[in-house]
Amino acid sequence: MSPERLVYFFGNGEADGDRGMRDLLGGKGANLAEMTQMRIPVPPGFTISTRVCTHYVQHDGAYPPELTGQVEEALRRMEELVGRRFGDPERPLLVSVRSGAAVSMPGMMDTVLNLGLSDVTAESLARESANEHFAFDAYRRLLQMYGDVVMGVPHDRFERALELTKLNAAVHSDAELGGDRLRALVETYKGLIRDAARRPFPQDPHEQLWGAIGAVFQSWGNRRAVRYRRLHGIPDGLGTAVNVQAMVFGNLGDDSATGVAFTRDPATGERALYGEYLVNAQGEDVVAGIRTPHPIRSQGDGSSLAERMPAAYDELARVCETLERHYRDIQDMEFTVERGRLWTLQTRTGKRTAAAAVRAAVEMVAEGLIDEATAVGRIDPGQLETLLHPSIDEGDRFEVLATGLAASPGAASGKVVLSADEAEELGLAGEQVILVRQETSPEDIHGMAAAQAILTARGGTTSHAAVVARGMGKPCVAGCKEIEVLPDGSGFRVGVVTVAKGEWITLDGSTGRVILGRVATRPAQLKGEFRTLLEWCDRFRRLRVRANADTPHDARQAIEFGAEGIGLCRTEHMFFDENRILQVRRMIFATSESAREDALESLLPLQRGDFEGIFRAMDGRPVTIRLLDPPLHEFLPRETDDLSPVAAGLGMSATALRAAIARLAEANPMLGHRGCRLGITYPEITQMQSRAMAEAACDVIGSGGKVALEIMVPLVGVARELELQAAVIRETVDAVLAERGVALPYAIGTMIELPRACVTADEIAKEAQFFSFGTNDLTQTTFGISRDDSGKFLHIYLEQGIYEADPFAVLDTKGVGALIRLAVERGRAARPDLKVGICGEHGGDPSSVAFCHREGLDYVSCSPFRVPVARLAAAQAALADSSAEARRVLEDRLAAR
């Protein structure tokens, strides 16, 4: 039996592999093989398969016995094609060594160039090329790369030595160093390696090669690579390949160059060759920033590749066109021009902005390169959200002060304020402010509404600050542990830096960055391609998409982004207005039922007006309104606040108010007197809210409008709770409809957010016409952790792989998902027409949307700015489980909606 193939050769138009072998050859190796077969000019080489990496890891660094012979045979074939011999003292073959996993993955071993050079072969290269600078510049690069990534010598030691050499030579660039200076630098580098690694740089090219190969496989298990795999769900068993390729040189003089090219502009998606290059340069010089590169396309100033090397540019343009049409996607290429001849070193799918991804996908459909389903499947849903918010202008210079959790996307600048009242006051005066808090509460809602953005020291991506900010479309950085909010309210501190109240900062809610000062931002641009793509999404998806919206403004914003209804209207958010909270507090402190009813009576017209505005904005689309949910203490001031003004408004002493607040305090309020428990304890609250909904609906219908009302009872864990609340709702609503003579079909359902409700869903469904899973609280109660306090340990759990992802950001399908699945099965068994959706923050997370599609839910609901993300994710989920034939049937069926 022949030995297993471990090495795959490519060169001279023939290759042992192709692009379909990514798992075996890695992305880089598979594409090199594919390009070779396409007759693209690729330097010959070979790829050591990922199976060797797996063997290496499992056998403590040992290689399969047949590997050595296969590597030697591949080297021999390279030598024949290039006309040089590896290690030959006169005409040496030099190679590069690169890692290449199936999935592009930062953290792996960096490239090693010019491998095969030694004291002897460097002299030979200098004589052969008649260019001493080229030969010893190549040698010092090998020493620097190999010493760093293979022998573990810190990179900065080489950099310091290079900078000192340039300083002594009074030059700005290493390209200006003379041969004698480079010879001396080579000796310095060898000394650095010998001192730091306790062994000399190997002069034997074969020893160099096997050292680099081993370093690639070792890098698969380094901390950076492992952490990246954890964050992105990449299996550890995938392994990396090693690519060994004959060197071509872009640093042989003014007729040589190296560069990077994209087949389309990665920032805008424009169909035009895009990229940069450097004359007389090698390797990473273009992206390293040590010299200012020039554009590839003509700029009219004579600096472009098109103008300086027109033949190479024409060949590059032809190669780019060929590769894009072959791969049917934007390609990112590395290339070298060696004495006028173009060589392509690699190609891969080009990373691009969301705007570029959308434009390119839509235009490629028009060009006939891809179909609409492929275009929809190609867009990253998580990236799409960046199109809906302003973004940092990365071309501007700025200083990042701290980094927290990217809780709500977008970027904004403003003056630091430390209280919600001050934020509101300055905001109404036209000032731009950023509200900085230890954490926010519902009482801060007026300040959050007035602020440009919100920064908190505590909390996670589903904390109060994050949820409210996303709903408002405001940037938010939460859980920024580096900041210390000063107790006197004068500002906040990060290390030795103090940012005073009134100073400007900028928040980037898309990355979690906190930046000193004002930074330029770029506005969101929703162009025609964006709307076209979302129209295609709507043709493919089965899952409906609603929005969480609490105001008419939010409702209109949701419709603009394509929401098909409101899945969650949180009525408590309507109570925090300065003109209303006093009446809420009077209701809380009422000592009799009649006093409580009087306070609620004053809130009735206000709440009715809110509902009427939302109904009119939604124009007959379904609106799910949740009864009052949070514990009453959230409507009260803190005991440590100045209580005198509040006490005066309530007609009581500050001492009595403080005592009342203490009496209402709960040890664990999120599991205490809240949700349906409030409505059962104080049915007059449910009566007031039900009446407000019914009267608002009658007013809208009476003026020719349409209403689709769904009333949701929160925190139900026992069927009897829903039965009692539903009776109050029906009695109240039906009485209003009878008084007004209006016909209004309405539904009563519940928010499923307790494990007991999932287990007894069959009993609850006998009373509920719909279920809406409140996945925020269902995750809290399933895991037994607080979303606001989990930031203290969650990062450790993620680093150690205890949790695969933040369960408040990505739905835990094994635990929480299993409960949802159980509730859906049992609920629909008891009531086959039961409508089921989710309204937690997971409603806008792409992987969670895919889960909801698979489990047969009817809709997801998320913040308005995440509606387009959910539409895309729902379409991708539908396409993912459809065969080509089924996809066509699905298109036809959905087109008939």
Side-chain angles (χ1 to χ4, degrees), residues 32 40 102 141 160 172 251 280 313 355 382 388 394 398 462 471 485 504 527 551 624 744 779 884:
L32 285 169
I40 300 289
R141 288 173 184 269
R160 284 199 296 268
H172 298 290
N251 54 339
N280 195 23
Y313 173 82
L388 310 174
E394 299 294 344
F398 52 81
T462 55
V485 179
W504 283 82
K527 297 183 179 178
T551 67
T624 302
L744 172 66
T779 297

Side-chain angles (χ1 to χ4, degrees), residues 334-664:
E334 293 179 15
F335 67 90
T336 288
V337 180
E338 183 184 80
R339 289 179 170 162
R341 183 179 180 184
L342 177 76
W343 294 94
T344 307
L345 305 181
Q346 77 166 35
T347 191
R348 59 190 172 190
T349 301
K351 300 228 182 288
R352 67 209 82 173
T353 65
V358 171
R359 176 176 174 178
V362 172
E363 290 186 354
M364 284 183 178
V365 171
E367 293 162 19
L369 283 179
I370 59 177
D371 60 17
E372 294 170 1
T374 303
V376 168
R378 184 166 285 177
I379 309 302
D380 178 1
Q383 191 184 25
L384 191 68
E385 194 171 357
T386 63
L387 287 178
L388 310 174
H389 301 271
S391 60
I392 292 285
D393 184 350
E394 299 294 344
D396 201 3
R397 298 185 66 180
F398 52 81
E399 177 186 351
V400 177
L401 179 65
T403 303
L405 299 174
S408 183
S413 299
K415 296 178 180 178
V416 170
V417 295
L418 282 300
S419 77
D421 290 342
E422 188 175 17
E424 182 181 47
E425 179 184 349
L426 293 177
L428 290 173
E431 298 271 9
Q432 290 180 284
V433 298
I434 289 181
L435 178 61
V436 181
R437 301 284 282 163
Q438 195 77 3
E439 58 198 344
T440 64
S441 72
E443 193 167 320
D444 296 319
I445 197 79
H446 59 294
M448 298 173 76
Q452 305 299 306
I454 298 101
L455 169 64
T456 66
R458 295 178 184 162
T461 55
T462 55
S463 63
H464 176 267
V467 172
V468 172
R470 279 196 292 272
M472 293 179 171
K474 295 179 182 290
C476 176
V477 175
C480 188
K481 294 181 292 184
E482 297 172 65
I483 75 169
E484 177 190 354
V485 179
L486 299 177
D488 61 1
S490 63
F492 68 91
R493 186 163 48 221
V494 178
V496 297
V497 178
T498 298
V499 180
K501 183 173 69 173
E503 288 190 45
W504 283 82
I505 63 171
T506 300
L507 296 190
D508 184 358
S510 300
T511 65
R513 292 178 294 181
V514 181
I515 299 168
L516 278 176
R518 304 174 74 167
V519 180
T521 60
R522 294 178 174 176
Q525 293 183 325
L526 301 184
K527 297 183 179 178
E529 296 93 350
F530 181 84
R531 299 191 183 280
T532 298
L533 180 82
L534 290 178
E535 287 170 4
W536 294 343
C537 291
D538 295 340
R539 288 175 49 201
F540 294 121
R541 66 184 170 89
R542 176 195 61 77
L543 205 59
R544 299 286 185 176
V545 178
R546 298 189 188 184
N548 300 339
D550 310 325
T551 67
H553 174 269
D554 290 348
R556 288 189 290 270
Q557 184 73 76
I559 293 171
E560 173 67 18
F561 289 140
E564 297 166 288
I566 291 178
L568 173 62
C569 175
R570 292 161 288 212
T571 54
E572 60 270 12
H573 285 183
M574 302 170 178
F575 289 158
F576 287 100
D577 182 89
E578 186 178 2
N579 297 320
R580 304 184 185 191
I581 197 164
L582 178 62
Q583 300 305 322
V584 176
R585 288 168 175 168
R586 284 178 175 164
M587 182 269 294
I588 293 171
F589 291 122
T591 56
S592 66
E593 184 175 330
S594 61
R596 188 173 301 110
E597 288 176 347
D598 287 344
L600 289 169
E601 188 67 27
S602 66
L603 287 170
L604 174 63
L606 303 174
Q607 187 127 91
R608 182 174 60 229
D610 294 327
F611 294 146
E612 181 178 344
I614 290 172
F615 290 149
R616 291 192 186 281
M618 295 310 292
D619 191 29
R621 297 174 180 86
V623 176
T624 302
I625 299 177
R626 183 179 70 184
L627 298 176
L628 189 64
D629 180 51
L632 296 180
H633 82 276
E634 291 197 3
F635 299 98
L636 303 180
R638 297 178 179 88
E639 285 188 78
T640 54
D641 293 344
D642 180 7
L643 300 181
S644 300
V646 177
L650 293 171
M652 58 196 305
S653 69
T655 301
L657 176 58
R658 185 168 282 109
I661 293 172
R663 188 172 63 252
L664 286 169

Side-chain angles (χ1 to χ4, degrees), residues 259-266 272-278 286 293-297 299 304-305 313 316 332-333 335:
V260 175
F262 288 80
T263 57
R264 302 189 189 218
D265 188 324
L273 196 58
Y274 175 92
E276 297 176 322
Y277 82 108
L278 281 171
V286 173
H294 302 293
I296 290 174
R297 280 192 296 157
Q299 305 294 304
S304 70
L305 184 70
Y313 173 82
L316 178 64
D332 168 9
M333 298 167 39
F335 67 90

Side-chain angles (χ1 to χ4, degrees), residues 174-247:
D174 49 320
E176 301 173 75
L177 290 173
D180 57 336
R181 298 275 187 181
L182 287 169
R183 283 177 179 273
L185 186 60
V186 162
E187 294 304 315
T188 300
Y189 277 9
K190 288 194 294 183
L192 286 174
I193 291 172
R194 185 173 54 252
D195 293 343
R198 303 298 178 90
R199 57 191 174 100
F201 171 76
Q203 293 291 312
D204 179 2
H206 290 275
E207 184 181 346
Q208 294 176 17
L209 176 61
W210 285 103
I213 291 171
V216 172
F217 292 140
Q218 287 174 18
S219 72
W220 179 254
N222 71 32
R223 186 177 179 183
R224 285 186 304 163
V226 170
R227 188 172 184 181
Y228 186 86
R229 292 200 294 274
R230 294 280 185 274
L231 290 173
H232 294 84
I234 301 172
D236 287 335
L238 202 59
T240 182
V242 179
N243 299 286
V244 180
Q245 198 169 10
M247 282 296 305

